[in-house]
Amino acid sequence: MKQRTRALIALALLVPSAGTLAAPDAPAGSPRIGLVLSGGGARGAAHIGVIKILEELRIPVHAIAGTSMGSLVGGAYAAGLGAGDLERAVTGVDWNELFNDDAPRALWPARRKEGSYRPTWNFSIGVREGKARLPPGAIAGQNVQLFLSELTKGVEHLERFDELPIPFRAVATDLETGTMKVFERGSLPLAMRASMSVPGVFAPLHSEGRIYVDGGLVRNTPVDVAREMGVDHLIVVRLLGDPMKPEQLNTVVGVAGQMINILISQNESASLAEIDPVRDVLVQPNLGDIGSGQFNRAADAIAIGERAARAATPLLARFSRSEADYAAWRRATGRPARPIERVEEVRVVGLERVNPKVFAPLERDLEKKPLDRERLVDDIRVVYAKGDFERVSYRFEREDEGDVLVVDAVEKSWGPGYFSLGLGFSSDNEGDDRFGLRGTYRQSWLNRLGAEWTTSVTVGNEPKLTTELFQPLRLDRAVFVAPYLDYSKTPLSVFRDDRRVARYDIARTRAGADLGTTLQNGIEARVGAYFLSNDTQVDTGPKALPEGSVNESGARVRVSYDTLDSPYLPRTGNRVTLEVNRPLPSMGAETDFTRAYARWTGAWAFGEHTVSTDVRGGSSFGDHMPFYEQFALGGFTRLSGNPNERFRGNQMALGNLVYHRQIATLPAPVGRGLYVGGSLEAGRLWDVDEMLDNPSKWRFGSSVFFGADSWIGPLFLAYGLSDGGDHTLYFMLGRP
C-alpha cells in the first residue's frame, strides 16, 4: 500500500456499539436495517458513496455501528446529516489543516510568535514531577475534535446514543485491558474521537478514568455490536485495498503499519463469520491504491463506494421502501426539533495548574446569551493557541436550569516543563558557513499569573545563552516584567575591494529587564534598561577595526505587531517591528549613539501563489556607530548574489518583492508545504566607512529558490545574482 506514513493517520478512523434499538421505528411488518461501517482511514470516505446509493434505493437505516472513519461517517449520519451533507463536509475540509493541531499563528500570543523566529523542531520532551515524558501521540486531535463537534451539532444535548435520529454505537479499544469499548452514551464527538485514536499517531482519549485508542485493534467491522441493537438485517461495509509491497516492509513505519493490518485482519475474520449470507448484505468497496492517509482522494473513494453499492443493488433492493414510507423515515431522522439555543452556564473542567480565569472570555461571550457557535469556536482556538493544552473541546448538558456548556480542558500531560531542540545551518559558496544546535527549556505556569522561565543554549560557531523570566502582572498579560540575561559570540566579516579580508568575533554579555504591555489587537510594547559589554577580537586576517571591550549599557524601546501565518514563508498577514537602542553615559556607556530600526513584512495569497514584501530601514540619526552595530546588507533576499553582511553603514534602506508558489502540501505534522519562488531586491547604505571601499549607492539583487516549511524549521536552496554580476549559492536549514 502506498503512502503508508499517512496510512497510519488513516487508521485513525473506526467505531462500534451496544444496547437496544429505541428509534426510529420501522412500519409494522417492515424489517429493521442495521448499518455496519468499518475502519480504514481515508478509505472510509467510500462509506458515503454507499450511503448515497442507500438513499437512492430508499433504504431506511435503523441502527449504525462504526469504527474509526466508520464512526465519523456513521456518527454524523446518525446525527441527522444526509449523504450530500457528508460528501460536502469530507471533500470540502482541508484535511492537512485538520491534522495540524495548532491554532492559526495569528491567534498566538505575542511571546510565542516571537519565539517562532528561533525555530525548534515541532516536538518537545516534557518534564513533569521531575521525570521526562513524551507526548502521547504525534497528533493531539484538537482540530479533528472541533470538526467532529461541527458535524454533530444539534444533538449535543442527547445523553444516550439511542436518542439520536438513528441509534448509534462507536467502538474503541481500552488501552489498559485490550478489550472492546462500545460507546452508547455521553459526548458523541468524544466517542467518535476515541474510536479513531491510532496508537502513536493520535493521542489516546482519556475519559472517566480510562484510556481509549482506535477500535480497529479489536473490532474493525463491528457486526456483533450492530446485531445486538435489535435489527433484523445488516448491511455491512468492509473496505478493501492493495496489500503492502515487500519493499514497504523495510521501514519502521511500514512494519508498524503491517502489524496493525494483521491485528485488524484477525478480528475482521471473526466478524465476517458472523454475517448471515441469507439475511445480511456485504458490500466491499475495493479502494485499490488509495492509502489510508490519502484524504485528498476522498472524492475518488466516494465514487468507488457508489460503484460497489450499485453493484450490490440486486441484494439491497429487497430493503427498499415506498416513497411515502421512506419520506416518513427521513422526517423522523432529521435534526432534533429543539437545538441548543441559549447557554445558561459555562463550566470548565479538567484544569490542574492553568488558572481558570484564562477561560473568562468564554464566560463573557457565551454565558446567559444565545448560542453563538462561531464565537464559541473562536474563543476555544484563542485559548488553545496559548500552547498549554493538549485538547480543548466542548459538549452540552441539559440541566433543570437550562443548557450548560461544558468545556473539557485537557492540559498537556507531558508538561509543565518542555525541552525542545533546533538545528540551524547556513552556507554560501563564499565561505560563510554557520551552524548551531539549540536546546530550549521552558517552564510554564510558575504561578497563578502564568509566569514562564525560558532558557536557550546554542552550541556551534555562534554560541549563545539566553535566559528570561516572563512575569505577567495581570493574567491577560496586559502588563508584564521580563528580566533577562544573555551571552553570544558572533562572527563578523570585513570586506574590502569585494573580498573578505578579515573576520572578527563579537562577544556580547547583557543583563536587563523590560516592562511591557500586550494590547488586545496583538501589539506588544516593551521599554527597558540593560547593562551591555561588547568585546571585539580579530579571528583571522589583518586588524582592520579596533579591538577591545566597550560598555554600551543603556535603554531600549521595542514595539511589535505580527499576524503572519508563518514566520519564514508567509502567505497572509503582516509584521511590523520598531526598536530603538540608546547607550547612556549615566549607566557607564562608553559610546554615544542612537540606533533605530524598523521593518514591515506583508504577504498576500492568490490560490497557490503568494506575493510578499519586506521593507526595512535603519538610522543612527547622524551618530557614528561601532562597526559591529552598523546595519548590514548582503545575503539571501537582502541583496542576493552578495555574501552575507557584505556591506555596512550607519543608515540603511532595503526593500524586496518575493513571489512563491506552493508545489506540494506536506502532511501534518511534517510541515506546511514545498515552494518555489524568486525575489527582486533593492537596498542602499549611507554614512559608510570609505576605508572599506564601500561606496554609498543603490544596489540590486535577485534570486530563485526552492523552500520548505517543515517541522524542523525552514529550508531554502537558492541562487542569487547581484547587479554587479556576482552570484552566490545559498543553503539554509532552520536558523543557526
Side-chain angles (χ1 to χ4, degrees):
M1 229 178 271
K2 299 178 181 179
Q3 308 282 339
R4 180 51 58 177
T5 301
R6 292 201 276 181
L8 285 178
I9 295 178
L11 273 164
L13 300 120
L14 312 152
V15 171
S17 73
T20 37
L21 190 65
D25 292 328
S30 300
R32 290 173 172 170
I33 310 300
L35 182 62
V36 180
L37 304 179
S38 72
R43 295 169 175 169
H47 293 316
I48 299 173
V50 174
I51 292 173
K52 289 177 71 174
I53 300 303
L54 297 184
E55 292 184 348
E56 182 181 305
L57 296 174
R58 300 192 303 276
I59 298 175
V61 176
H62 303 91
I64 303 173
T67 297
S68 195
M69 187 66 171
S71 81
L72 186 153
V73 175
Y77 194 56
L81 266 66
D85 301 318
L86 287 168
E87 183 172 19
R88 285 187 291 273
V90 170
T91 59
V93 70
D94 185 335
W95 287 94
N96 198 60
E97 287 297 321
L98 206 63
F99 290 134
N100 178 13
D101 285 320
D102 219 339
R105 187 176 180 274
L107 300 179
W108 292 7
R111 179 172 173 80
R112 191 180 173 202
K113 289 177 183 176
E114 190 63 27
S116 68
Y117 294 97
R118 302 179 294 276
T120 56
W121 299 337
N122 190 23
F123 175 82
S124 62
I125 298 173
V127 179
R128 186 181 179 94
E129 299 174 350
K131 297 180 180 179
R133 297 175 181 253
L134 295 175
I139 300 172
Q142 171 66 15
N143 288 329
V144 171
Q145 190 68 58
L146 292 177
F147 178 64
L148 297 177
S149 296
E150 176 66 20
L151 284 181
T152 58
K153 65 181 181 183
V155 297
E156 302 100 328
H157 59 288
L158 301 178
E159 171 67 17
R160 299 172 62 246
F161 294 172
D162 280 344
E163 298 173 345
L164 293 169
I166 303 174
F168 173 70
R169 303 290 185 267
V171 174
T173 301
D174 188 312
L175 188 59
E176 296 180 62
T177 64
T179 57
M180 179 175 67
K181 166 65 178 178
V182 178
F183 285 93
E184 59 183 58
R185 62 188 303 128
S187 168
L188 178 58
L190 284 178
M192 297 159 70
R193 168 67 177 82
S195 177
M196 49 187 291
S197 301
V198 176
V201 179
F202 280 100
L205 183 80
H206 294 249
S207 177
E208 298 180 348
R210 310 301 297 177
I211 305 173
Y212 300 111
V213 296
D214 198 306
L217 300 178
V218 292
R219 200 76 88 247
N220 196 53
T221 307
V223 174
D224 56 338
V225 175
R227 189 86 69 192
E228 291 174 5
M229 297 176 74
V231 296
D232 302 304
H233 303 274
L234 294 178
I235 299 173
V236 181
V237 186
R238 180 199 181 205
L239 306 174
L240 304 177
D242 292 343
M244 294 186 70
K245 298 178 181 178
E247 58 267 23
Q248 295 176 293
L249 303 178
N250 295 326
T251 66
V252 173
V253 173
V255 172
Q258 184 69 345
M259 290 174 63
I260 294 176
N261 287 340
I262 293 171
L263 288 173
I264 290 176
S265 177
Q266 291 176 342
N267 72 64
E268 273 198 324
S269 296
S271 295
L272 294 174
E274 298 181 23
I275 298 175
D276 188 323
V278 176
R279 291 192 299 161
D280 308 324
V281 177
L282 176 62
V283 182
Q284 300 190 93
N286 192 329
L287 284 300
D289 66 348
I290 297 179
S292 54
Q294 293 182 292
F295 291 91
N296 61 324
R297 298 185 65 183
D300 296 335
I302 292 172
I304 292 172
E306 285 187 64
R307 290 196 294 271
R310 200 173 297 281
T313 295
L315 298 174
L316 294 170
R318 57 184 165 138
F319 303 137
S320 182
R321 295 289 169 264
S322 68
E323 291 187 8
D325 286 348
Y326 188 73
W329 174 82
R330 290 300 299 265
R331 288 193 297 271
T333 57
R335 294 286 191 183
R338 185 180 177 256
I340 305 295
E341 295 180 351
R342 177 181 170 87
V343 177
E344 293 299 328
E345 180 187 351
V346 176
R347 188 179 301 158
V348 181
V349 298
L351 295 178
E352 297 179 12
R353 53 186 179 270
V354 176
N355 193 324
K357 292 183 180 179
V358 166
F359 290 86
L362 276 85
E363 298 175 357
R364 182 191 65 235
D365 294 339
L366 299 165
E367 198 167 73
K368 306 295 184 183
K369 296 179 181 178
L371 176 60
D372 185 337
R373 291 184 181 274
E374 253 185 61
R375 174 65 69 178
L376 168 61
V377 173
D378 287 346
D379 284 349
I380 285 178
R381 283 177 171 158
V382 169
V383 171
Y384 187 79
K386 297 179 184 298
D388 300 309
F389 298 96
E390 185 175 329
R391 189 186 74 251
V392 181
S393 59
Y394 69 91
R395 51 192 167 90
F396 289 91
E397 294 182 357
R398 184 154 291 173
E399 300 183 356
D400 292 341
E401 63 272 19
D403 291 311
V404 177
L405 169 64
V406 181
V407 179
D408 293 295
V410 181
E411 298 172 5
K412 288 182 175 178
S413 57
W414 61 102
Y418 307 95
F419 177 76
S420 56
L421 289 172
L423 178 65
F425 178 79
S426 68
S427 177
D428 61 33
N429 61 336
E430 298 294 329
D432 188 8
D433 299 328
R434 305 188 183 196
F435 66 92
L437 177 65
R438 181 186 302 105
T440 300
Y441 180 76
R442 179 175 67 92
Q443 185 73 28
S444 65
W445 286 98
L446 295 170
N447 53 44
R448 299 298 284 174
L449 291 177
E452 295 181 357
W453 187 13
T454 304
T455 299
S456 180
V457 178
T458 301
V459 296
N461 60 359
E462 293 188 74
K464 188 172 184 178
L465 166 67
T466 301
T467 186
E468 181 188 67
L469 174 65
F470 180 82
Q471 176 60 70
L473 302 181
R474 292 173 33 172
L475 186 61
D476 60 3
R477 299 186 173 185
V479 184
F480 62 86
V481 294
Y484 59 88
L485 173 69
D486 59 53
Y487 169 84
S488 64
K489 190 174 182 180
T490 306
L492 184 150
S493 295
V494 179
F495 292 84
R496 183 182 293 153
D497 298 328
D498 295 333
R499 60 187 183 89
R500 183 181 287 106
V501 296
R503 191 187 300 269
Y504 281 72
D505 286 330
I506 312 298
R508 298 172 180 254
T509 303
R510 180 172 62 171
D514 291 333
L515 174 65
T517 180
T518 303
L519 305 179
Q520 284 191 336
N521 56 8
I523 296 176
E524 182 186 90
R526 294 187 177 212
V527 59
Y530 54 84
F531 295 93
L532 171 62
S533 175
N534 284 314
D535 187 70
T536 306
Q537 298 292 331
V538 65
D539 180 39
T540 60
K543 183 178 178 181
L545 299 169
E547 293 182 285
S549 182
V550 179
N551 187 326
E552 289 187 11
S553 303
R556 73 168 181 174
V557 175
R558 189 176 190 277
V559 180
S560 64
Y561 170 76
D562 190 349
T563 62
L564 296 178
D565 65 335
S566 170
Y568 290 100
L569 280 161
R571 304 199 69 227
T572 61
N574 292 273
R575 184 194 186 203
V576 178
T577 58
L578 171 65
E579 184 166 352
V580 180
N581 289 268
R582 173 72 182 178
L584 299 173
S586 59
M587 296 181 63
E590 300 170 322
T591 56
D592 186 15
F593 63 86
T594 300
R595 188 182 194 275
Y597 175 78
R599 179 179 179 182
W600 166 58
T601 303
W604 303 268
F606 308 91
E608 297 177 340
H609 308 276
T610 301
V611 176
S612 64
T613 187
D614 189 356
V615 179
R616 313 183 196 189
S619 177
S620 63
F621 303 101
D623 298 329
H624 189 82
M625 298 186 293
F627 188 77
Y628 50 79
E629 296 285 8
Q630 293 178 10
F631 304 102
L633 293 178
F636 177 51
T637 71
R638 303 184 307 275
L639 297 185
S640 299
N642 295 288
N644 285 318
E645 301 182 348
R646 178 175 180 176
F647 311 110
R648 288 183 175 271
N650 289 282
Q651 329 289 332
M652 178 269 292
L654 172 72
N656 66 29
L657 190 67
V658 180
Y659 163 82
H660 66 260
R661 178 179 184 273
Q662 185 170 354
I663 58 174
T665 299
L666 295 175
V670 176
R672 298 176 73 234
L674 304 177
Y675 307 85
V676 294
S679 67
L680 297 173
E681 310 123 40
R684 182 172 180 175
L685 294 165
W686 293 266
D687 191 10
V688 300
D689 289 312
E690 299 296 339
M691 62 174 287
L692 299 178
D693 191 26
N694 178 23
S696 176
K697 65 177 184 178
W698 283 99
R699 305 175 190 269
F700 304 92
S702 60
S703 74
V704 293
F705 63 85
F706 166 82
D709 201 344
S710 72
W711 72 277
I712 59 175
L715 182 150
F716 289 97
L717 179 62
Y719 171 80
L721 181 67
S722 75
D723 56 342
D726 297 322
H727 52 87
T728 305
L729 291 173
Y730 305 96
F731 175 76
M732 288 154 285
L733 174 63
R735 182 174 178 180

